[in-house]
Amino acid sequence: MKKLRVAVLYGGRSGEHEVSLQSAASVINHLDRDRFEIVPVAIDKQGRWHLNDVSLIEGKKYLPVFKDAPRVVLPPNSADISALVRLGGSGEARAIDVVFPVVHGPLCEDGTIQGLLELADVPYVGCGVLASAVAMDKEVAKRLARDAGLPIVPYVSMKYERWKKQKQQSAEQIQKELGYPVFVKPANLGSSVGVHKVKKPGGLSAALENAFEYDTKVLVEVAVNAREIEVSVLENPETGADPLVSVPGEVNPAHEFYSYEAKYLDEKGAELIIPAKLDAAQTKRAQRIASEAFTALDCEGMARVDMLLDRTSGTIFFNEVNTIPGFTPISMYPKMWEVSGIIYQELLSRLVDLAISRHDRRKALIREFRTP
């Protein structure tokens, strides 16, 4: 049987560029070579796409972005196949069957690349444009979750223009509505980049200024004394069926919270407990919230749903959805599925199959007006 040519897309222009290099290395190393031919495509920090040689990066734990590799583009589809077109020289085209985006953060995971792939008419792994954009904006995701009846932590959303003009009034609103401690975080970023725990009013300004360096909208949330619970979600190929959910996992950070340093720079930055030490009722509730959040945000393919379990009240709060979760060897998404009975290689194969199935369904839609 002919192998499917899978373009693994990694790197990107966001602050999570380096995380993507680790995730993509793991995906490339675990994709089934009996089924797939791997086409590594690196996006450098300026947004240029480079076609890399898989033989040079296979087996590595961290992928470099080869700036001297041939540059390519993915044009809107105008033929029967989707292809990466090499710039300069011969303009040679490299046909691809499906794209596996392993990119994180703005201009990567937020629906922008997904929109490009829709225009190119190529199947791609993961959520579509809408869910990707909504999940990336943590404030909009919280609104949808709240409307779906899911519990959320109280928060204040703030745009940079307002903070710049009304610093005193904004600080007073946060003090009145939330109190302290609070978490300050960019609305459209992940991997805990730009996140700060502020214990007293005096630390608010510096935390906000740093968060606004990464985004024009920032969330300030009540810092609940909570356990961090996560559930991996996978689209169910059975039409109309609820999504599949993994056993819950728990992140027990050695740092004060699960910071970027704890996730990626400190080998002992956190203890990952899979399955999480929950009773049967808590497990069921976490899985239900994960499933309902996946549905409320119109997710497809995969997502990791993060929650907060209040140590005092026992309430499980929806926190956020990651539509392209980390795929590093220590990342929770594949590890939770492995404990749930789906090994890494099988998980990747399922995701590719779901991508192709979704593309086929959409291909069957009528794209022109017809008289009933």
Side-chain angles (χ1 to χ4, degrees):
M1 184 174 65
K2 180 183 177 182
K3 293 183 180 181
L4 289 173
R5 193 168 289 154
V6 180
V8 178
L9 201 58
Y10 63 92
R13 294 170 57 191
S14 85
E16 298 176 75
H17 178 99
E18 285 73 20
V19 180
S20 171
L21 304 186
Q22 296 182 54
S23 290
S26 188
V27 168
I28 288 171
N29 290 334
H30 287 88
L31 276 165
D32 187 352
R33 294 304 191 275
D34 291 334
R35 290 193 59 195
F36 308 122
E37 177 186 343
I38 315 302
V39 181
V41 182
I43 306 175
D44 66 27
K45 291 187 177 181
Q46 288 69 47
R48 296 178 293 242
W49 290 32
H50 301 267
L51 181 62
N52 286 327
D53 186 340
V54 70
S55 66
L56 297 177
I57 61 179
E58 199 163 16
K60 292 184 180 295
K61 295 182 179 179
Y62 187 90
L63 300 182
V65 174
F66 294 101
K67 294 187 178 181
D68 57 345
R71 286 186 58 192
V72 292
V73 294
L74 181 64
N77 182 265
S78 59
D80 294 330
I81 61 171
S82 296
L84 295 161
V85 177
R86 187 173 300 190
L87 296 176
S90 65
E92 176 186 349
R94 183 79 182 273
I96 54 175
D97 297 306
V98 61
V99 173
F100 199 130
V102 193
V103 286
H104 308 299
L107 300 176
C108 296
E109 187 182 355
D110 59 354
T112 49
I113 279 182
Q114 290 73 18
L116 171 64
L117 298 175
E118 291 283 354
L119 288 174
D121 198 22
V122 59
Y124 59 92
V125 168
C127 290
V129 175
L130 175 63
S132 299
V134 166
M136 178 55 61
D137 189 317
K138 296 179 180 62
E139 194 262 333
V140 174
K142 286 179 184 292
R143 277 192 260 156
L144 289 175
R146 181 181 59 202
D147 289 348
L150 302 179
I152 62 170
V153 172
Y155 71 92
V156 168
S157 173
M158 194 172 305
K159 292 290 188 72
Y160 177 71
E161 292 77 12
R162 180 192 167 199
W163 167 248
K164 186 176 180 180
K165 295 178 181 178
Q166 301 178 355
K167 291 187 177 182
Q168 184 62 34
Q169 298 95 315
S170 299
E172 290 173 357
Q173 179 190 6
I174 290 167
Q175 174 76 64
K176 179 181 178 181
E177 296 184 13
L178 305 180
Y180 287 88
V182 294
F183 277 110
V184 174
K185 60 179 70 173
N188 290 276
L189 210 58
S191 296
S192 298
V193 174
V195 176
H196 301 272
K197 185 175 183 179
V198 180
K199 298 179 180 180
K200 297 180 180 179
L204 179 65
S205 181
L208 282 168
E209 291 294 344
N210 180 252
F212 277 126
E213 291 180 3
Y214 293 98
D215 196 4
T216 59
K217 181 164 71 169
V218 165
L219 263 64
V220 184
E221 303 174 342
V222 170
V224 178
N225 179 17
R227 297 163 60 188
E228 299 190 32
I229 306 298
E230 301 180 352
V231 172
S232 295
V233 187
L234 187 65
E235 181 184 345
N236 195 329
E238 295 184 19
T239 304
D242 291 334
L244 305 174
V245 291
S246 72
V247 299
E250 180 172 357
V251 178
N252 185 20
H255 300 229
E256 188 167 13
F257 67 97
Y258 201 25
S259 63
Y260 182 93
E261 290 78 10
K263 290 178 179 179
Y264 303 110
L265 303 180
D266 183 353
E267 291 184 0
K268 298 181 180 179
E271 178 187 11
L272 306 181
I273 305 167
I274 307 173
K277 296 177 181 177
L278 304 174
D279 61 35
Q282 290 172 324
T283 296
K284 185 175 181 180
R285 189 156 67 249
Q287 291 174 324
R288 178 184 60 79
I289 289 174
S291 176
E292 292 182 3
F294 188 90
T295 301
L297 272 63
D298 202 23
C299 294
E300 298 167 291
M302 63 178 170
R304 192 192 73 232
V305 179
D306 299 350
M307 292 157 276
L308 300 171
L309 172 55
D310 191 317
R311 297 178 189 272
T312 303
S313 68
T315 301
I316 299 179
F317 295 101
F318 165 83
N319 189 34
E320 63 181 86
V321 170
N322 289 270
T323 55
I324 304 183
F327 272 92
T328 72
I330 63 169
S331 293
M332 290 289 276
Y333 186 82
K335 287 177 72 71
M336 286 188 286
W337 277 124
E338 187 172 358
V339 174
S340 303
I342 303 177
I343 63 172
Y344 202 145
Q345 186 180 83
E346 180 188 350
L347 175 63
L348 298 178
S349 295
R350 286 197 188 195
L351 289 169
V352 172
D353 291 339
L354 286 168
I356 293 171
S357 177
R358 176 181 65 186
H359 187 260
D360 289 344
R361 290 196 305 271
R362 291 184 178 177
K363 275 281 194 181
L365 296 175
I366 297 173
R367 301 293 184 182
E368 60 185 25
F369 175 76
R370 295 181 183 178
T371 304

